[in-house]
Amino acid sequence: MKRIMAAALIPALTFSFFLSPSALASTPVICLAYDTGGPGDSSFNDAAQAGLKVAAKTLQFTLETTVTSGDAKDRTDRLTALVKKSCTIVIAVGTGYAATLKELAQVFPETQFAILNDATVDVLNVTAIVFADIQGAYLAGYAAAVASKSGKVAMVGYASQRELFEKGFAPGAKAAKKSIVATVKYISSSASSAATTLLRSGHDVIYLTTTGSATEVFSTIVTSNSANKNKPAAGIITVEPDQFLSVTSSTKKFVLATVVKRVDLALIDLLTKTLAETSLYDEVDPALGVYGHRYGISDKSIEITLRSPVLIAKTSVINSASIAASKLN
């Protein structure tokens, strides 16, 4: 089986291997804690590693990495071990590190931390690197409406993602086609049952905003298409690297588009600024007091990859829609 997002993989290594002992003495140490599973997950770990690989070609630094087993104590132990390596910055991959960072950042106030894909750590020495998901949802809604033949499209996600639908997906769909019916299903467990319900009610494009594997929902769509060959085929729009997806040569046609968060570009930007002794200090969440940067279309860090021939034919129109999307916060 083939996975849609195949980020460039490199072994976990220390880039200082290529530096002389004298150079090592003055080379900044960049420390990164991968989330559970480490590189090879076709998700955020791989995206972060891809950014490190590119950054190492132009920036001089020593890299120290670690991978957590996932439990709270291990996360604390892993980050603490990195702090003791005199890191210029300690970067944690994923929201799973949020609670740990909130505590450790106060224990080590002189250490600069960063966290990818989380905006909840309200400590001054933690930089939040997040993405303008509403912009991506708007593009997904627009593309969904363009691709839909039934006139019904839907978003499947978590209750915490209400704004993605109300400010992103639904307005995007309506901007493309005023008559479109945009529906949302919030889930707390299986997304496939929600997808089944939507498909039975005539929705033919599903935008999935959950995390992890999208294969279960995709399989539901493929099965529905096989059982209803007299109806126009339904399709899915996914989010990378939040999700990964297994497809075959015969089912890839049902993947209509992919909203892409360029984690690699964000990480390169973070490292470049860190090594230049500057910082990302925008207000990501003024109410909570979270600082860092929210990457979006204007940073070239939110993109949509069109896969359906119908959407590819409308590339220029969808590109124009990105102008409206880029104005959304």
Side-chain angles (χ1 to χ4, degrees):
M1 300 290 280
K2 181 181 177 184
R3 283 179 172 176
I4 286 291
M5 194 196 78
L9 300 181
I10 58 172
L13 51 81
T14 300
F15 290 110
S16 60
F17 176 82
F18 302 103
L19 302 174
S20 67
S22 59
L24 284 176
S26 59
T27 301
V29 180
I30 300 296
C31 297
L32 184 137
Y34 289 112
D35 206 352
T36 309
D41 67 346
S42 293
S43 190
F44 268 87
N45 287 323
D46 277 355
Q49 191 182 60
L52 290 173
K53 181 179 179 181
V54 174
K57 294 179 180 179
T58 57
L59 302 173
Q60 189 178 76
F61 58 87
T62 300
L63 177 65
E64 295 282 351
T65 66
T66 189
V67 180
T68 182
S69 65
D71 67 73
K73 184 180 183 304
D74 185 73
R75 289 184 189 276
T76 298
D77 292 344
R78 297 283 179 175
L79 291 182
T80 300
L82 289 180
V83 169
K84 293 179 178 179
K85 294 180 181 294
S86 301
C87 307
T88 301
I89 189 169
V90 177
I91 305 167
V93 178
T95 191
Y97 282 103
T100 304
L101 266 184
K102 202 163 190 174
E103 295 181 7
L104 284 185
Q106 297 177 71
V107 175
F108 301 104
E110 300 302 317
T111 300
Q112 182 61 43
F113 295 91
I115 184 167
L116 296 179
N117 210 38
D118 183 271
T120 65
V121 185
D122 54 345
V123 184
L124 289 178
N125 57 324
V126 177
T127 300
I129 302 299
V130 292
F131 295 86
D133 293 320
I134 289 177
Q135 295 179 9
Y138 184 97
L139 290 177
Y142 196 99
V146 170
S148 177
K149 294 182 176 63
S150 70
K152 294 182 177 181
V153 300
M155 180 184 121
V156 174
Y158 307 120
S160 59
Q161 297 175 317
R162 184 176 299 276
E163 279 195 340
L164 292 190
F165 178 76
E166 294 178 351
K167 296 183 179 180
F169 185 81
K174 288 291 184 180
K177 196 179 296 182
K178 290 183 179 180
S179 61
I180 202 77
V181 174
T183 305
V184 63
K185 287 283 187 182
Y186 297 118
I187 62 165
S188 57
S189 55
S190 173
S192 60
S193 59
T196 297
T197 300
L198 289 166
L199 292 169
R200 286 175 177 171
S201 60
H203 295 78
D204 63 349
V205 181
I206 292 176
Y207 176 47
L208 186 65
T209 59
T210 57
T211 57
S213 174
T215 300
E216 184 181 355
V217 170
F218 185 57
S219 296
T220 299
I221 291 173
V222 172
T223 300
S224 175
N225 289 340
S226 297
N228 300 281
K229 293 184 178 179
N230 294 328
K231 293 183 179 180
I236 191 171
I237 298 177
T238 61
V239 183
E240 293 178 0
D242 288 12
Q243 300 153 17
F244 56 87
L245 177 62
S246 298
V247 301
T248 66
S249 57
S250 62
T251 63
K252 65 181 181 180
K253 61 187 175 184
F254 304 132
V255 181
L256 306 180
T258 304
V259 174
V260 182
K261 299 179 181 181
R262 294 298 305 273
V263 175
D264 56 335
L265 295 184
L267 186 56
I268 292 167
D269 188 38
L270 172 65
L271 292 181
T272 301
K273 286 181 169 57
T274 297
L275 296 177
E277 299 184 353
T278 60
S279 61
L280 294 165
Y281 208 66
D282 299 335
E283 287 186 322
V284 172
D285 191 326
L288 288 179
V290 178
Y291 297 89
H293 190 71
R294 190 180 303 278
Y295 287 86
I297 291 172
S298 61
D299 300 300
K300 298 182 179 179
S301 295
I302 291 286
E303 303 173 345
I304 186 165
T305 301
L306 306 178
R307 304 180 186 278
S308 159
V310 171
L311 292 179
I312 292 172
K314 297 287 186 177
T315 296
S316 60
V317 175
I318 295 172
N319 284 344
S320 296
S322 69
I323 298 173
S326 67
K327 298 176 183 178
L328 302 175
N329 295 320

